[in-house]
């Protein structure tokens, strides 16, 4: 099994704990700020902690319909979150899973949102470069939309 890794880094002027707090509300915020990408995210099993299984229904701007993902790790004190897509057309018939690790790290005057995405391939076929480029842009734009939501709602995300 081969793996293709994608690294995403987006700097923020906000402290790491504030950025992570906004990201922690992804399931609620993403469908509000990017409904064309994320139609809905619902818990199928669990309470949001490690082991929780969720269903994501994609919007019209994405070439996929739905996916199931599992929370693999959650460490609020280190602003870290891991999850894996394990089912759905997002796996494109060529992937066993897609693993995500998000960590928000402090930096001078703010923080950096870091996301590592691992596409775990079934065989030799890998996601196309053009697909990976679009994915990276989507992750960056999603982060920026979440951050803008946090800025617009300081009473919740301060």
């Amino acid at each position: 099994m081969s793996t293709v890794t994608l690294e995403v880094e987006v700097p923020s002027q906000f402290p790491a704990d504030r950025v992570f707090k906004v990201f922690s509300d992804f399931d609620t915020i993403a469908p509000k700020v990017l409904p064309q990408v994320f139609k809905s995210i619902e818990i199928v099993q669990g309470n949001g902690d490690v082991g929780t299984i969720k269903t994501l229904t994609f919007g019209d701007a994405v070439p996929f319909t739905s996916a199931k993902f599992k929370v693999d790790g959650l460490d609020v004190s280190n602003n870290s979150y891991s999850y894996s897509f394990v089912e759905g057309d997002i796996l494109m018939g060529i992937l066993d899973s897609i693993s995500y690790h998000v960590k928000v790290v402090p930096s001078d005057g703010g923080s950096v949102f870091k996301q590592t995405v691992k596409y775990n391939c079934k065989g030799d076929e890998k996601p196309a470069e053009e697909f990976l480029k679009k994915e990276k842009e989507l992750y960056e734009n999603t982060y920026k939309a979440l951050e803008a939501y946090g800025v617009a709602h300081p009473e919740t995300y301060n």
Side-chain angles (χ1 to χ4, degrees), residues 68-72 82-87 97-100:
K68 240 182 211 171
F69 66 99
K70 179 177 69 133
V71 177
D72 298 322
S82 301
Y83 61 100
S84 298
F85 280 115
V86 294
E87 209 176 281
S97 63
I98 306 171
S99 304
Y100 299 80

Side-chain angles (χ1 to χ4, degrees), residues 38-64:
F38 307 100
K39 197 171 188 178
S40 67
I41 302 169
E42 296 165 7
I43 291 180
V44 176
Q45 180 184 327
N47 61 0
D49 289 338
V50 174
T52 296
I53 297 172
K54 301 180 183 185
T55 300
L56 190 160
T57 304
F58 292 102
D60 297 337
V62 182
F64 309 115

Side-chain angles (χ1 to χ4, degrees), residues 72 81-85 90 98-102 115-119 135 139:
D72 298 322
Y81 180 72
S82 301
Y83 61 100
S84 298
F85 280 115
I90 191 167
I98 306 171
S99 304
Y100 299 80
H101 179 73
V102 170
Q115 182 172 26
T116 302
V117 184
K118 292 188 176 181
Y119 300 86
E135 285 275 280
Y139 299 138

Side-chain angles (χ1 to χ4, degrees), residues 77-126:
S77 61
N78 285 310
N79 302 317
S80 169
Y81 180 72
S82 301
Y83 61 100
S84 298
F85 280 115
V86 294
E87 209 176 281
D89 57 356
I90 191 167
L91 299 177
M92 302 177 287
I94 62 168
L95 303 171
D96 280 325
S97 63
I98 306 171
S99 304
Y100 299 80
H101 179 73
V102 170
K103 185 160 176 61
V104 184
V105 296
S107 69
D108 290 343
S111 60
V112 179
F113 174 87
K114 294 184 175 192
Q115 182 172 26
T116 302
V117 184
K118 292 188 176 181
Y119 300 86
N120 303 305
C121 307
K122 286 180 179 179
D124 295 334
E125 194 175 352
K126 296 177 180 173

